[in-house]
């Protein structure tokens, strides 16, 4: 049995060992404190236990230099898992604009301490017993759709940690213009995770952006908006290595003239989810094995301005109708916060309906 995790001090030596050897050499290493924390968070960390724990802890760091430096330090950044420790440290030092030696003595310790603190917080969070399925370890929510029981899979972690889910639905604006990959949104996270990178971490290909541009050009709508609720399908780029095979880009956000803000109607979200299911039905037999599972974030609940309740109600309206009609898809939800997860878990008790609204002002 793994030893308990008493404090940050017990985690720091093991995090330094991870930094030194890299993720590809973790197998067989004695990491009792990390393993104990991974056991405690199993319901929230799908995949290889220690690595998934580290990814989830780092994802909770403030976006920016701290999170980026942690990703390079521990080899979690795309394409860096097999980098030598010296190369990862040099790249992390560059994030802060300091020398490697100064980073080693000062910033690196701070970064690892912050990761350790988030690991302890994760281990202390209450969570249900893990449930195993083909999609990994996750929570399940038992609901009634129509007259039959259905199990929904609930993931409480960043979208780019998803594994073995055939289709991920990503929110988009009506111009299908993807956000820059350094942003923190669902669409930006998927774009970043799908990118093909070289051994130095440089982006060699940006498939989500390129395929979406081709989709727009092929339909003669380049530079013009599509109808809200339109869904465009692309490949998943590097995410195929994690079992994700398609990205469905759901146009739900309408740019508000003269601002950097968006408006989202719940009815457009519901329409997009329905269209995603229709597209899944069209595509599923084209793949071997056929597409079967689909994952939804709470569309419109980010910069779109919908509350979690409104976003979930809008998504669930279409999901419930699809499942009540006898569809046998494996439906997943992915959320980042305990508050959003709690709402999904309350679906069996009923959720408030969403009402259409456009932001004003």
């Amino acid at each position: 049995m793994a030893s308990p995790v008493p404090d940050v001090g017990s985690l720091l030596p093991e995090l330094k060992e991870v930094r030194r050897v890299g993720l590809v050499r973790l197998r067989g290493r004695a990491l009792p404190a990390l393993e104990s924390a991974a056991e405690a968070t199993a319901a929230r960390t799908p995949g290889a236990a220690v690595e998934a724990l580290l990814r989830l802890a780092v994802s909770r760091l403030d976006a920016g230099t701290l999170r980026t430096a942690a990703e390079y330090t521990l080899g979690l950044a795309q394409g860096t898992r097999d980098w030598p420790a010296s190369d990862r440290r040099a790249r992390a030092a560059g994030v802060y604009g300091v020398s490697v030696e100064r980073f080693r003595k000062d910033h690196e310790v701070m970064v690892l301490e912050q990761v350790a603190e988030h690991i302890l917080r994760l281990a202390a969070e209450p969570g249900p017993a893990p449930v195993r399925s083909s999609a990994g370890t996750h929570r399940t929510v038992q609901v009634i759709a129509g007259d039959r029981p259905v199990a929904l899979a609930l993931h409480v972690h960043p979208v780019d940690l998803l594994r073995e889910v055939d289709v991920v639905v990503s929110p988009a604006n009506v111009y299908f213009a993807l956000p820059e990959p350094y942003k923190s949104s669902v669409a930006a996270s998927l774009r970043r995770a799908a990118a093909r990178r070289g051994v130095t971490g440089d982006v060699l290909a940006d498939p989500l952006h390129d395929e979406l541009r081709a989709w727009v050009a092929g339909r003669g709508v380049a530079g013009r908006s599509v109808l809200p609720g339109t869904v465009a399908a692309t490949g998943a780029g590097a995410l195929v290595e994690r079992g994700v095979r398609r990205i469905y880009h759901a146009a739900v956000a309408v740019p508000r003239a003269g601002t950097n803000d968006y408006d989202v109607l719940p009815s457009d979200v519901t329409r997009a989810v329905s269209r995603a299911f229709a597209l899944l039905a069209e595509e599923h037999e084209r793949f071997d094995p056929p597409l079967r599972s689909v994952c939804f974030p709470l569309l419109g609940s980010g910069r779109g301005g919908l509350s979690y309740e409104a976003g979930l109600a809008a998504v669930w309206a279409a999901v419930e109708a699809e499942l009540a009609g006898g569809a046998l898809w494996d439906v997943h939800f992915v959320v980042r916060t305990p508050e959003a997860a709690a709402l999904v878990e309350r679906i069996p008790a009923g959720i408030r309906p969403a009402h259409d609204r456009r932001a004003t002002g």
Side-chain angles (χ1 to χ4, degrees):
M1 178 179 297
S3 60
V5 185
D7 53 32
V8 170
S10 66
L11 284 168
L12 274 177
E14 295 185 11
L15 288 172
K16 290 179 180 179
E17 178 70 359
V18 173
R19 188 213 66 79
R20 186 182 69 82
V21 303
L23 296 178
V24 295
R25 297 180 179 84
L26 283 188
R27 186 180 298 276
R29 300 278 171 177
L31 302 168
L34 284 171
E35 289 167 0
S36 179
E39 288 179 7
T41 62
R44 299 182 292 281
T45 53
V50 170
E51 179 178 344
L53 172 68
L54 294 174
R55 289 188 181 278
L56 185 54
V58 169
S59 75
R60 294 196 174 190
L61 297 174
D62 291 339
T65 52
L66 178 59
R67 185 191 299 174
T68 302
E71 289 172 342
Y72 282 120
T73 297
L74 296 171
L76 299 172
Q78 182 73 21
T80 64
R81 61 186 296 116
D82 60 345
W83 283 17
S86 58
D87 290 352
R88 287 186 276 107
R89 176 178 277 165
R91 183 62 68 91
V95 170
Y96 281 102
V98 299
S99 68
V100 172
E101 185 62 14
R102 181 179 175 187
F103 179 81
R104 181 185 70 82
K105 293 180 177 180
D106 183 11
H107 298 74
E108 185 172 278
V109 175
M110 178 270 292
V111 167
L112 294 179
E113 285 177 344
Q114 289 294 306
V115 174
E117 289 180 5
H118 279 282
I119 288 173
L120 291 176
R121 292 174 190 171
L122 285 166
E125 288 181 4
V131 178
R132 295 282 178 182
S133 78
S134 59
T137 305
H138 53 72
R139 307 184 195 186
T140 60
V141 180
Q142 299 291 336
V143 302
I144 300 296
D147 58 356
R148 67 188 183 95
V150 176
L152 306 175
L154 172 59
H155 304 264
V156 190
H157 56 66
V159 68
D160 53 345
L161 292 184
L162 286 170
R163 300 291 188 276
E164 305 302 326
V165 179
D166 295 327
V167 177
V168 179
V169 178
S170 177
N173 60 51
V174 292
Y175 292 89
F176 284 128
L178 290 179
E180 293 300 321
Y182 56 78
K183 300 286 189 178
S184 61
S185 65
V186 167
S189 296
L190 289 172
R191 179 181 180 180
R192 186 167 56 247
R196 301 284 185 184
R197 298 177 185 269
V199 295
T200 62
D202 296 328
V203 174
L204 302 178
D206 190 2
L208 263 59
H209 172 271
D210 296 345
E211 291 185 37
L212 200 51
R213 291 297 89 204
W215 188 98
V216 167
R219 287 156 181 79
V221 293
R224 297 192 289 116
S225 63
V226 300
L227 289 175
T230 301
V231 177
T234 68
L239 285 167
V240 296
E241 298 163 10
R242 308 179 197 180
V244 177
R245 296 191 281 170
R246 298 291 275 170
I247 305 296
Y248 287 177
H249 306 266
V252 296
V254 179
R256 195 184 308 164
T259 74
N260 292 320
D261 299 323
Y262 295 91
D263 290 328
V264 176
L265 287 174
S267 59
D268 292 337
V269 171
T270 302
R271 188 178 304 109
V273 174
S274 295
R275 177 56 190 151
F277 280 122
L279 192 55
L280 180 57
E282 292 174 16
E283 290 199 330
H284 83 286
E285 291 291 349
R286 302 177 191 171
F287 291 80
D288 184 20
L291 302 176
R292 179 176 178 83
S293 54
V294 58
C295 185
F296 297 97
L298 301 189
L299 298 170
S301 296
R303 288 190 62 198
L306 295 183
S307 66
Y308 288 147
E309 293 89 343
L312 176 59
V315 173
W316 176 242
V319 171
E320 183 179 29
E322 180 77 6
L323 297 179
L328 299 177
W329 311 120
D330 292 333
V331 177
H332 299 240
F333 284 88
V334 60
V335 298
R336 284 289 300 268
T337 68
E339 293 81 7
L343 286 172
V344 177
E345 290 175 323
R346 289 203 294 270
I347 286 177
I351 53 180
R352 296 200 307 269
H355 298 288
D356 282 4
R357 63 172 176 85
R358 292 282 189 195
T360 58

